[in-house]
Amino acid sequence: MRTTRTTPTTPIPATAIATMAAVAAIVVSCIAESPETPVNGQVVDFGTYTEQFQTRSEVKRAIPDGGSMGVYAYLHDNSNWAAAEAANKLTPNFMWNQQVTYHADGNSFVYSPLKYWPNEENDKVSFIAYYPYSAEAPGSPESPAYPYNATGLKTLLGNADNGLPSFEFTVKGNAAEQVDLLISDLITDLPHSRAAEDAPGAPFNNLSVYDHVKFVFRHALAKIEFRVIADADIRRDIVGFKVNDLEIINIYKQGKLTTTGTTFSWSNLATPQSYTCKTYEPYLLMPQELKDDAMFYINYSITFKSDGTTYEYSTGVDDQYTYSNKATLKLNTFKMAETGTELTEWLPNHHYVYNIHLRANRIEFTGEVVDWGAKITPTDIPGINNVSVEER
């Protein structure tokens, strides 16, 4: 499985690129100091970056109210990340799968026991995080044996292991139960030296100017969506239409996620599954190459009016005609709307939309990549509710 870059430099259409914008610093408040608090010690606080989309000014927090992320932190004693990596000494010795919970009331990230920035000038700390938090890590005495949990996520880095965290993940079959798995970029060698925010380079141990650890999160899964609409050339003659069945077949639902801190990749893909889908409902699925046995199936009915406008399927102005059809196609034969190239792979941190246009005597299929977070309004035609669906 090839490694996939997860930064905005991934070559996708410009209109489909989600940009990132920093939120205000998050303050941890109303937490009593522990007896181990060093003199003039500064608590390690957390914040997150949020997504801001080109199509709107609204921003969304990466971690919802009451949600928890897991944090791994590496203390480099009189060293830095590069030196520790070269010496093969990257053990999460400062924080190991630390649960950090966001509270909207107070706009704070809370965890216990508290950690404090090192007092030695040459000591640095590096951080990486994931969401949603999972308590299990096999082979670690602090953690119970791994049970199947509600998220489908299993952490694999023990507290004495070397390197960055990796995970096993299982996608749920029901869209309502599917989890938006997030992995942060690696943040290395904090705190950076400065005496004030506008005066970099001064001694780092002015404890009043420490920055919060602000994570930039990426979506580790692919968002897939099917939009079934009646084509414009028959829309005025439609009384209504119904999608009787919509299904994707032989889609992998399990895999192992590894990260380098700036990229991540999926491997060990397994357990093909069929998903019954609804139109205009996004599904968070495993990134994967779409092989020849990955299929799309649709069964639908269209009811036409017969009033002499375009189609006359029966005699009599008040008569109606119901046309039913079904089709099975290879998913890797869908073509991208802008380029005409076949969509043969789902990449992480991408939102793919399959447009299925129903016509009088055929079905047309195209695909596109859109902003993860864009608002979707189904086409206003008979038989379809005209509602706005807010992206996750």
Side-chain angles (χ1 to χ4, degrees):
M1 181 71 182
R2 67 190 176 103
T3 299
T4 303
R5 294 201 59 83
T6 60
T7 61
T9 57
T10 304
I12 62 176
T15 57
I17 300 174
T19 60
M20 307 299 291
V23 299
I26 307 298
V27 178
V28 174
S29 59
C30 303
I31 302 177
E33 293 183 352
S34 66
E36 295 78 19
T37 303
V39 177
N40 295 325
Q42 180 73 17
V43 173
V44 176
D45 292 348
F46 293 98
T48 63
Y49 279 53
T50 60
E51 297 169 307
Q52 184 175 3
F53 306 100
Q54 294 176 337
T55 55
R56 56 180 177 163
S57 60
E58 178 186 353
V59 295
K60 295 176 66 177
R61 295 198 178 280
I63 309 298
D65 183 27
S68 295
M69 59 183 173
V71 177
Y72 295 88
Y74 304 76
L75 173 62
H76 313 303
D77 187 8
N78 196 31
S79 182
N80 56 29
W81 177 269
E85 185 176 34
N88 203 32
K89 294 182 178 180
L90 292 178
T91 302
N93 53 357
F94 191 72
M95 288 183 175
W96 170 75
N97 199 25
Q98 174 65 58
Q99 183 176 10
V100 180
T101 303
Y102 175 67
H103 295 279
D105 183 13
N107 199 27
S108 60
F109 282 87
V110 177
Y111 67 97
S112 178
L114 296 178
K115 292 289 186 177
Y116 297 85
W117 292 105
N119 289 319
E120 297 297 326
E121 182 174 358
N122 292 327
D123 289 351
K124 302 295 182 183
V125 187
S126 299
F127 297 85
I128 193 168
Y130 71 94
Y131 169 86
Y133 172 76
S134 176
E136 294 78 26
S140 300
E142 296 88 346
S143 177
Y146 170 73
Y148 188 78
N149 59 54
T151 65
L153 181 66
K154 178 181 178 180
T155 61
L156 299 179
L157 183 70
N159 64 337
D161 292 344
N162 183 73
L164 289 168
S166 59
F167 309 89
E168 289 181 358
F169 187 72
T170 301
V171 175
K172 300 288 187 175
N174 189 338
E177 298 176 347
Q178 289 175 350
V179 173
D180 189 5
L181 178 59
L182 304 175
I183 307 295
S184 81
D185 290 349
L186 175 67
I187 304 173
T188 60
D189 303 335
L190 294 182
H192 297 299
S193 298
R194 67 168 117 192
E197 291 191 28
D198 58 351
F204 85 99
N205 57 357
N206 180 342
L207 299 179
S208 64
V209 296
Y210 278 64
D211 279 344
H212 300 271
V213 182
K214 301 174 184 176
F215 291 112
V216 177
F217 281 99
R218 315 289 178 188
H219 302 279
L221 301 176
K223 181 181 288 190
I224 310 300
E225 183 182 352
F226 298 94
R227 304 179 187 177
V228 182
I229 64 173
D231 200 76
D233 67 347
I234 64 171
R235 198 171 300 163
R236 64 178 179 174
D237 299 314
I238 288 180
V239 176
F241 79 82
K242 178 182 179 182
V243 177
N244 303 309
D245 192 14
L246 184 66
E247 194 174 7
I248 50 176
I249 303 164
N250 290 325
I251 301 301
Y252 290 124
K253 73 170 187 177
Q254 292 180 346
K256 180 181 178 181
L257 175 67
T258 56
T259 179
T260 66
T262 56
T263 65
F264 52 72
S265 62
W266 288 96
S267 60
N268 299 341
L269 300 182
T271 318
Q273 175 173 314
S274 297
Y275 292 89
T276 298
C277 303
K278 297 179 181 179
T279 59
Y280 288 91
E281 181 169 2
Y283 293 82
L284 302 175
L285 301 179
M286 188 68 62
Q288 58 195 279
E289 178 186 355
L290 298 174
K291 298 183 178 180
D292 284 343
D293 62 351
M295 309 298 291
F296 170 87
Y297 171 77
I298 186 172
N299 181 340
Y300 67 95
S301 300
I302 305 178
T303 300
F304 292 95
K305 58 187 177 181
S306 179
D307 59 1
T309 54
T310 304
Y311 301 100
E312 294 189 18
Y313 296 101
S314 61
T315 60
V317 174
D318 296 329
D319 290 343
Q320 296 179 355
Y321 173 79
T322 298
Y323 169 78
S324 298
N325 193 15
K326 56 186 178 182
T328 302
L329 298 95
K330 295 180 180 180
L331 273 171
N332 60 15
T333 62
F334 282 65
K335 296 183 182 297
M336 297 291 290
E338 293 188 1
T339 63
T341 58
E342 292 179 340
L343 179 54
T344 60
E345 184 179 18
W346 293 341
L347 301 177
N349 206 42
H350 286 57
H351 180 181
Y352 297 96
V353 172
Y354 289 84
N355 298 299
I356 297 95
H357 292 257
L358 306 181
R359 302 177 68 91
N361 55 359
R362 66 182 186 276
I363 312 173
E364 293 183 350
F365 303 88
T366 58
E368 61 180 322
V369 182
V370 300
D371 286 354
W372 189 305
K375 182 178 291 187
I376 300 168
T377 303
T379 305
D380 185 14
I381 59 175
I384 293 293
N385 295 326
N386 187 21
V387 296
S388 294
V389 180
E390 191 66 26
E391 294 287 31
R392 299 177 185 179

